[in-house]
Amino acid sequence: ITEQQDRQLLTKHDLVDAHANWAYSVNSLFDLASHLCKPEDIVDLRDHHRSHLDIIEFSNQQFYGGRLRIATRYDKLRTLQREEPAVRWSNIKGQVVRPSAGGAENPTEAQAVVDELKRLCEQGYAGSIGVVSPFSAQANRIRELAYQDDALTARLVHMDFLAYTVHKFQGDERDVIIFSPVVSKGIRDGALYFLRNNRYLFNVAVTRARAALIVVGDYSACIDSGVEYLSK
């Protein structure tokens, strides 16, 4: 919920004076609990075992201050073809529209994601694949397009395929993650505001990938978006 909604709820239930520190937008439950611990009692989980170095190193620098120690077993990764890097950007121009239910959707980008799924299947890739987008409307569009192709659907069933927002991937992972940022011509200020204020969702999204992260989106629009982590 937003800070404004949080304040409104506190006011409605007459909790402002006595319970302001318990406001969701001010302190998380983790913040409250951490204050009860001595510094020497806190264990920092620094060893990372999931992702290829090229994938996790961005998050390591952007979100963890370089504190992570990469301990990934590369012999366990289901990598793509040898000439393909672990992180790749597929530059797709598109037009963002706002569905009646809200959010943001980029049909051109959604089709490009499905084309990427087909490419991986045609190559005979045998690992698991997931698609993540910050916007549920985009994830829904990608899922619908993918399942319209019977041959693709039959392949995806065996690849543990999932296309959702990051909330569905919390604690989960795939060998390959395709990230669809949606940001392109026509993106609304409200959608950019959502992205700016949910930077850790992006961190969770990209670190679901074990062997490869493929971003399918408008390269220049993301650089110029004003969303710091997306530009970087």
Side-chain angles (χ1 to χ4, degrees), residues 109-119 142 145-146 152:
E109 186 174 298
Q111 182 59 56
V113 170
V114 175
D115 292 342
E116 185 66 33
L117 290 171
K118 291 179 180 178
R119 185 187 73 86
I142 292 168
L145 288 173
L152 179 60

Side-chain angles (χ1 to χ4, degrees), residues 120-132:
L120 292 171
C121 288
E122 289 169 358
Q123 287 182 354
Y125 183 67
S128 58
I129 298 179
V131 175
V132 187

